[in-house]
Amino acid sequence: KLISAGHARALLPLPYEKQVEMVKLILEKGLSVRHTEKLAAEAKGTPIKHRMKELGNAVNKASNASAQKDVNTLALEREVSNVLGMNVEIDMKGAQDGVMSIQFKTLDQLDDVLHRLSHNPARLGHLRD
């Protein structure tokens, strides 16, 4: 099993030993990129095992929300997240309408997304099929 590019980016600032520990955790618990980013930020000085209890509730909530989502919606979230390099959530409100959220951490990331969407809309066109 492999981790996504988003997961890997979140782990880059960590020392190698913590990266290995985090990869095992990601694969074991099926952590999202968002949870991985949060854990990685906290793990810079704290052993990851101490964060597991706190993370458990968040993972369970995320798992419950994911369980309610259609498999195609989850795949689309993953694909758009990989294309953008940021966490994306899609919440369907009806059969054909919904909300897509893109999490960015800096204004540069926001600017990058806006630039990509306005200058190369065809790149994301295949996602509509």
Side-chain angles (χ1 to χ4, degrees), residues 26-41:
I26 292 165
L27 296 174
E28 206 175 90
K29 300 288 184 182
L31 299 179
S32 68
V33 172
R34 180 178 289 170
H35 286 120
T36 302
E37 289 169 344
K38 183 178 179 185
L39 263 185

Side-chain angles (χ1 to χ4, degrees), residues 40-54:
E42 294 171 351
K44 288 182 183 175
T46 307
I48 293 170
K49 292 176 185 173
H50 294 203
R51 293 288 178 197
M52 285 306 298
K53 186 173 183 179
E54 294 173 17

Side-chain angles (χ1 to χ4, degrees), residues 25-86:
L25 187 63
I26 292 165
L27 296 174
E28 206 175 90
K29 300 288 184 182
L31 299 179
S32 68
V33 172
R34 180 178 289 170
H35 286 120
T36 302
E37 289 169 344
K38 183 178 179 185
L39 263 185
E42 294 171 351
K44 288 182 183 175
T46 307
I48 293 170
K49 292 176 185 173
H50 294 203
R51 293 288 178 197
M52 285 306 298
K53 186 173 183 179
E54 294 173 17
L55 180 67
N57 291 337
V59 169
N60 288 338
K61 286 179 189 176
S63 295
N64 290 340
S66 293
Q68 295 172 359
K69 286 187 182 179
D70 179 272
V71 113
N72 294 321
T73 302
L74 292 172
L76 189 57
E77 281 181 342
R78 212 172 13 259
E79 185 174 353
V80 176
S81 292
N82 288 336
V83 168
L84 295 177
M86 296 172 215

Side-chain angles (χ1 to χ4, degrees), residues 108-119:
D108 286 340
Q109 285 183 328
L110 174 61
D111 186 53
D112 180 52
V113 169
L114 296 174
H115 179 77
R116 289 205 251 165
L117 290 173
S118 64
H119 288 87

